[in-house]
Amino acid sequence: MDKGKRSVKIFIYGLISQVITLLLGIIIPKLLIVSYGSEVNGLLSSVRQIFVYVALLEAGIGTASLQALYAPMAKGDHQKTSEIMAATDHYYKRTGVLYGICVLILALIYPIFINSEIPMPVVAGVIIFQGASGVINYLFQGKFAILLRVDGKSYITTNATTIVNVASKFAQIILILMGCDILVVQGAYFVINLTQMLYITWYVKKHYSWLDLKVQPNYSSLSQSKNVIIHQISGLIFNNTDILVLTYFCGLKVVSVYSLYALIINCVSNIIDTICSSVEFILGQAFNSDRQRFLKLQETYETYYLAVSFAFFTVTLIMLPSFIEIYSVGITDAVYVDKYLPFLFVVLNILMYSRRTSSQIINFAGHFKQTQLRSIIESIINLSVSLVLVYYIGIYGVLIGTIAALLYRTNDVIIYANCNILGRKPWKTYRRWIQNIVVMIVCVWMINYILPPMNDYFIWALNAIWVFLLCFGMYFAVDSLCDRKSFYMIKEIIGNAFLKRIKKKK
């Protein structure tokens, strides 16, 4: 299968996965809140964030392995690929054991310190079921997911995840409606997730029969992991501090409000990630084998990636307030409707995701050590501003803290990638930002002016469709007009793919 087909498959399957995850994902929190209360929903969100920090035990091996595998996979060097994978396997198994120990310790300690009316045994049980999935991932399927991603076959993992998510979420919905205990609900989720591990392991053994994990591990190929871990620590503090700070200072009900907005925004973000990952392996291999081709691809990719990112978040900013109003009907133990939260969440994510193209260049180049101090500064800004402002303005404070850090780091990433790696000025990237911000302001003002009131999901969905089409049309038109070289190149790529398909049919 050629790279173009792989890229399309990654995108299509990833998009289907995210849409299904979004639809099922927004149902379960509502059921949890109505059936068990906002505190239980807040507890689940808080525990998930804790295990994100426990994942630091991975020590950057995954990212270092990903970067190390691009070159040998592009050259078809099976021996070196096996050596890198053997080293990855060794580190991941060690991580799985340590992760399991942490799960047990947290199950004993966390219930003592949390301020909640939820019984301690229930809290401990939730932690064990949440953490057990991580243990299984590191012991069995984690290393294989990295290999599939580098080879442009992440759609295999995506499809497995989609099927498992659908099955587990349907099981959760049925159990909640039956009035089962929350531990039974979490247990069902864990058991069904085991099937994904079995499938991924079987797939890799069947389709990568040349892979030998018993060869001498190439530990030196993962030496960058020491520098990656600094980025991971900073990234985890940056991306996951908000819920933990809110858990301590504001309580689980506020965490539930935050997590609901974050859930919807993350679903949108994951769709953008799907688009990104569908071509990431092509860019990564080109960077390590054909720099001139990479530069041409990068220009086109950045133009339309920024357009797509801004378009999705523009639709979110317009449609999220009315969705929350409809969604929160019947919930009385916490206030979910807020006129400022959609704006803050969207600003935060625009700053985060629109720097992705520049971040990828840094990752492809392996400049982890050179940029680790900058990543630390980002986390310090985020944590310090959040801790100060949460006293005065609560949930708004932690979001403003994250935005403050992003204003620094996003500009730093853009400047570093362009000046230090590509050897050019960052003006093109900034110019694309400016043109997309202008389009965003126009779209939000114009559509909000004509958008009718909405009081049910059907009317909301009908309006979301035309808002989506209008926003994407405007972004595509403006960005294609301002970046004509990118437009001609994407036109050429699509045209060549179409001609190739016709020739195969003949």
Side-chain angles (χ1 to χ4, degrees):
M1 187 187 301
D2 62 34
K3 292 180 180 179
K5 285 187 177 180
R6 292 184 198 175
S7 182
V8 171
K9 278 194 171 185
I10 293 170
F11 172 69
I12 292 174
Y13 293 139
L15 186 61
I16 293 171
S17 174
Q18 293 308 322
V19 171
I20 293 172
T21 301
L22 172 61
L23 294 176
L24 292 175
I26 60 178
I27 294 172
I28 290 178
K30 179 70 176 283
L31 290 175
L32 286 170
I33 294 166
V34 172
S35 302
Y36 306 109
S38 289
E39 275 203 323
V40 168
N41 186 50
L43 170 66
L44 294 174
S45 299
S46 182
V47 170
R48 279 193 291 267
Q49 296 307 310
I50 289 172
F51 281 113
V52 171
Y53 280 91
V54 176
L56 281 173
L57 293 168
E58 189 246 12
I61 296 301
T63 303
S65 177
L66 192 72
Q67 195 274 334
L69 284 168
Y70 277 125
M73 286 296 286
K75 297 172 184 176
D77 190 339
H78 291 171
Q79 178 63 27
K80 189 170 183 180
T81 299
S82 293
E83 292 171 358
I84 296 170
M85 286 296 294
T88 305
D89 179 48
H90 169 78
Y91 285 125
Y92 264 34
K93 284 180 178 176
R94 184 184 67 180
T95 300
V97 173
L98 294 174
Y99 198 102
I101 294 171
C102 286
V103 170
L104 296 175
I105 293 173
L106 281 168
L108 293 172
I109 295 175
Y110 187 74
I112 298 172
F113 291 97
I114 191 172
N115 181 21
S116 173
E117 296 178 2
I118 303 171
M120 292 175 64
V122 174
V123 176
V126 167
I127 290 172
I128 290 173
F129 282 127
Q130 288 274 1
S133 297
V135 175
I136 296 298
N137 179 63
Y138 286 119
L139 289 177
F140 298 102
Q141 79 176 56
K143 56 184 176 288
F144 295 139
I146 293 171
L147 177 66
L148 292 171
R149 183 175 169 185
V150 173
D151 199 29
K153 293 185 178 180
S154 59
Y155 59 86
I156 300 298
T157 310
T158 299
N159 289 346
T161 301
T162 302
I163 294 170
V164 167
N165 273 340
V166 171
S168 61
K169 282 182 167 57
F170 268 121
Q172 285 182 297
I173 290 169
I174 292 169
L175 292 171
I176 293 171
L177 292 175
M178 289 173 61
C180 294
D181 187 85
I182 187 63
L183 288 182
V184 176
V185 176
Q186 290 301 105
Y189 178 80
F190 166 70
V191 171
I192 294 173
N193 267 270
L194 290 178
T195 59
Q196 182 177 349
M197 176 270 294
L198 295 173
Y199 173 73
I200 296 298
T201 302
W202 168 82
Y203 182 91
V204 171
K205 287 185 177 180
K206 180 181 179 181
H207 295 275
Y208 294 83
S209 55
W210 52 263
L211 181 65
D212 184 6
L213 298 179
K214 294 180 181 179
V215 300
Q216 182 65 35
N218 184 352
Y219 295 115
S220 62
S221 64
L222 305 183
S223 59
Q224 280 274 38
S225 64
K226 296 176 182 177
N227 300 312
V228 173
I229 187 62
I230 302 297
H231 284 273
Q232 285 195 330
I233 293 172
S234 300
L236 288 173
I237 292 172
F238 172 78
N239 292 315
N240 302 283
T241 297
D242 291 0
I243 283 183
L244 296 183
V245 171
L246 291 173
T247 300
Y248 184 80
F249 290 102
C250 302
L252 291 177
K253 289 184 179 180
V254 175
V255 171
S256 182
V257 174
Y258 179 98
S259 64
L260 176 59
Y261 280 89
L263 169 69
I264 297 168
I265 292 289
N266 285 341
C267 288
V268 176
S269 301
N270 288 338
I271 293 173
I272 299 171
D273 281 337
T274 299
I275 296 169
C276 182
S277 62
S278 68
V279 296
E280 183 181 45
F281 78 100
I282 297 175
L283 292 169
Q285 291 183 13
F287 184 91
N288 287 278
S289 60
D290 188 346
R291 188 62 63 91
Q292 289 302 315
R293 179 169 175 266
F294 168 80
L295 291 173
K296 292 179 181 178
L297 290 172
Q298 173 65 22
E299 288 293 327
T300 303
Y301 172 66
E302 183 174 84
T303 297
Y304 291 104
Y305 177 82
L306 288 174
V308 168
S309 298
F310 270 90
F312 267 114
F313 287 122
T314 299
V315 175
T316 303
L317 183 58
I318 295 168
M319 301 304 299
L320 182 56
S322 54
F323 178 83
I324 294 294
E325 287 181 8
I326 299 168
Y327 186 87
S328 61
V329 171
I331 300 175
T332 57
D333 63 343
V335 178
Y336 287 84
V337 177
D338 188 289
K339 63 179 180 180
Y340 300 114
L341 288 180
F343 174 77
L344 291 172
F345 269 103
V346 167
V347 170
L348 184 158
N349 280 273
I350 282 176
L351 288 169
M352 184 184 300
Y353 276 83
S354 297
R355 75 180 186 189
R356 179 73 175 269
T357 56
S358 298
S359 296
Q360 283 180 312
I361 294 170
I362 294 173
N363 291 339
F364 295 151
H367 281 214
F368 302 113
K369 184 176 182 179
Q370 296 91 326
T371 56
Q372 62 187 20
L373 179 60
R374 302 155 188 264
S375 183
I376 293 170
I377 293 171
E378 178 185 33
S379 298
I380 292 172
I381 294 172
N382 182 23
L383 192 56
S384 57
V385 176
S386 295
L387 288 173
V388 171
L389 293 184
V390 74
Y391 277 110
Y392 301 100
I393 50 178
I395 192 171
Y396 306 133
V398 295
L399 291 167
I400 292 172
T402 306
I403 291 170
L406 280 167
L407 286 171
Y408 155 72
R409 183 65 172 143
T410 296
N411 283 287
D412 176 70
V413 166
I414 292 171
I415 293 170
Y416 185 92
N418 280 278
C419 297
N420 294 60
I421 299 176
L422 299 183
R424 66 186 187 189
K425 293 182 179 180
W427 162 242
K428 282 187 178 180
T429 301
Y430 280 120
R431 191 255 301 158
R432 289 173 182 134
W433 267 72
I434 292 169
Q435 70 197 37
N436 283 311
I437 289 172
V438 171
V439 175
M440 186 177 198
I441 293 170
V442 171
C443 283
V444 172
W445 175 81
M446 179 179 67
I447 294 173
N448 275 331
Y449 184 76
I450 61 176
L451 197 66
M454 291 164 278
N455 52 18
D456 62 61
Y457 289 116
F458 180 73
I459 298 299
W460 183 90
L462 289 178
N463 281 282
I465 292 170
W466 73 260
V467 170
F468 176 88
L469 294 174
L470 179 59
C471 287
F472 271 77
M474 288 186 67
Y475 278 102
F476 182 81
V478 171
D479 287 326
S480 296
L481 186 64
C482 294
D483 283 280
R484 294 191 180 184
K485 286 185 178 179
S486 295
F487 173 72
Y488 291 136
M489 185 167 187
I490 201 74
K491 184 180 177 182
E492 181 183 341
I493 291 171
I494 295 172
N496 290 338
F498 182 71
L499 289 173
K500 190 182 292 185
R501 192 176 183 85
I502 291 175
K503 287 180 181 178
K504 282 189 176 181
K505 285 183 177 181
K506 290 181 179 180

